[in-house]
Amino acid sequence: MRDVGPDERGRLFEQAREWSRRRDTWPEADRLWIRVIDAYREAARGPGHAGRHDQQQLARALRRRGMLLSAHGRAAEGMAPGGEAVAIFERVYDAVAAEAGNVAAAPRDDALAELITALVDLAEVAFTAGQPATRRELLSRAVAVGLAAVGAPPAAGPRTRRAMGVAYHHQATALLHRHLTRPAAADGLREASLAASRACELRQALLDPARPRSLRELADTYGVYARCLAMAGDVERAGVMVALGNRLVKLLGPAAEQPAQNLRVAAELLGRDGVPTGDAAGARRFRWRRR
């Protein structure tokens, strides 16, 4: 292909991202992502920091194309670009970490957060492709990568803390799904509750009334945690989570449709005689949603 300069590469990237947001332009977005990926793959062969930026852009384009393919009903095809994106983000983070610097400050914080996010996104593409075990493995890896780098989440930078909140939330959702579909898994519910609790802790610390998304993310995690607690028989704490989540939903209004659904399911579980271990009501609401 002809040489594509940095300005044009950036413009094409933004155009592909915009088209990816609208279902009616998904086919055009997919074709454009291929062009963007080819352009950045060629540019990434350059040396030094300029080459690193193009490597990051290549990884971002690959990650987004994998997500688009998944949304377009082609999740199995989305695994390859998503997996390549993870591999590139790993190399970028290793290179940044080798230059030292505080793990909580940019650029290490940025590079680590992108690696964790790419693992989470690939996990959800795997789930959509019918690979729930691969999903759980990738989410465990996302959490392990973060913990290995920062020791404890509160010591991480802001982007990494948010990414780890996302990883724990999705891990809780994946483990709860396993429990509902395979209730014989002995520790599944306990593990799901623990992951949800950690996601709550991180997201509570990041709560910012000026950022409605932070409210929505926390409300969503309250809903997952409440379901875990209700099914484990911890009715009192489950009720507290539902109440806290509903306060946020009320503040958010129509923007909180997905968290409100999770909270309604938890409330239904609390309203029954006895605490179920899995049924049709508990098994729904597990489609992939972006935090």
Side-chain angles (χ1 to χ4, degrees):
M1 62 178 293
R2 69 176 178 85
D3 183 58
V4 179
D7 291 343
E8 186 176 359
R9 289 196 297 270
R11 181 184 62 79
L12 292 174
F13 185 101
E14 291 304 319
Q15 183 66 74
R17 186 160 63 173
E18 179 60 33
W19 282 351
S20 297
R21 294 191 180 106
R22 304 199 310 269
R23 184 181 291 268
D24 62 321
T25 54
W26 278 356
E28 291 86 349
D30 185 34
R31 289 191 290 271
L32 187 53
W33 278 127
I34 293 173
R35 184 180 171 192
V36 170
I37 288 165
D38 287 343
Y40 276 110
R41 198 183 297 282
E42 181 65 27
R45 297 189 176 100
H49 287 279
R52 179 180 298 168
H53 170 74
D54 289 323
Q55 288 172 16
Q56 290 173 309
Q57 285 292 88
L58 172 60
R60 291 162 187 155
L62 287 162
R63 178 176 70 86
R64 289 180 180 277
R65 182 167 187 250
M67 294 164 63
L68 178 67
L69 288 169
S70 180
H72 210 186
R74 298 160 59 191
E77 293 178 56
M79 292 294 293
E84 186 180 355
V86 167
I88 295 171
F89 280 128
E90 282 180 322
R91 291 198 296 270
V92 168
Y93 176 71
D94 288 344
V96 172
E99 295 169 359
N102 190 334
V103 71
R108 283 187 70 180
D109 179 39
D110 296 339
L112 181 57
E114 284 202 289
L115 172 55
I116 293 169
T117 299
L119 283 163
V120 172
D121 287 340
L122 182 59
E124 297 309 328
V125 172
F127 182 60
T128 305
Q131 302 176 38
T134 301
R135 177 203 203 187
R136 293 191 300 272
E137 290 168 7
L138 287 164
L139 291 170
S140 293
R141 185 175 159 197
V143 169
V145 162
L147 292 176
V150 303
R159 287 196 63 190
T160 297
R161 279 184 278 126
R162 182 176 180 275
M164 292 193 71
V166 171
Y168 276 125
H169 172 88
H170 280 258
Q171 186 179 48
T173 303
L175 292 169
L176 180 57
H177 176 266
R178 182 183 66 176
H179 178 76
L180 290 165
T181 54
R182 289 172 48 206
D187 296 327
L189 195 54
R190 183 185 63 81
E191 292 171 353
S193 296
L194 185 58
S197 174
R198 288 170 174 163
C200 280
E201 182 180 1
L202 282 164
R203 290 183 159 180
Q204 284 167 343
L206 293 167
L207 191 64
D208 180 359
R211 287 183 57 246
R213 182 172 179 171
S214 70
L215 276 68
R216 187 169 63 251
E217 289 173 342
L218 181 55
D220 208 9
T221 298
Y222 279 147
V224 173
Y225 193 22
R227 290 173 68 176
C228 294
L229 292 169
M231 294 171 65
D234 194 342
V235 175
E236 184 176 350
R237 280 204 298 167
V240 171
M241 293 301 111
V242 170
L244 290 171
N246 282 335
R247 288 181 194 171
L248 295 176
V249 165
K250 186 176 180 180
L251 287 172
L252 289 164
E257 178 184 356
Q258 182 59 48
Q261 289 176 346
N262 257 332
L263 289 160
R264 279 195 295 271
V265 172
E268 288 171 10
L269 291 171
L270 291 173
R272 295 196 178 113
D273 292 331
V275 179
T277 57
D279 58 15
R284 67 180 183 265
R285 317 296 189 204
F286 277 98
R287 62 185 177 84
W288 178 17
R289 56 191 179 279
R290 202 59 170 105
R291 289 76 67 177

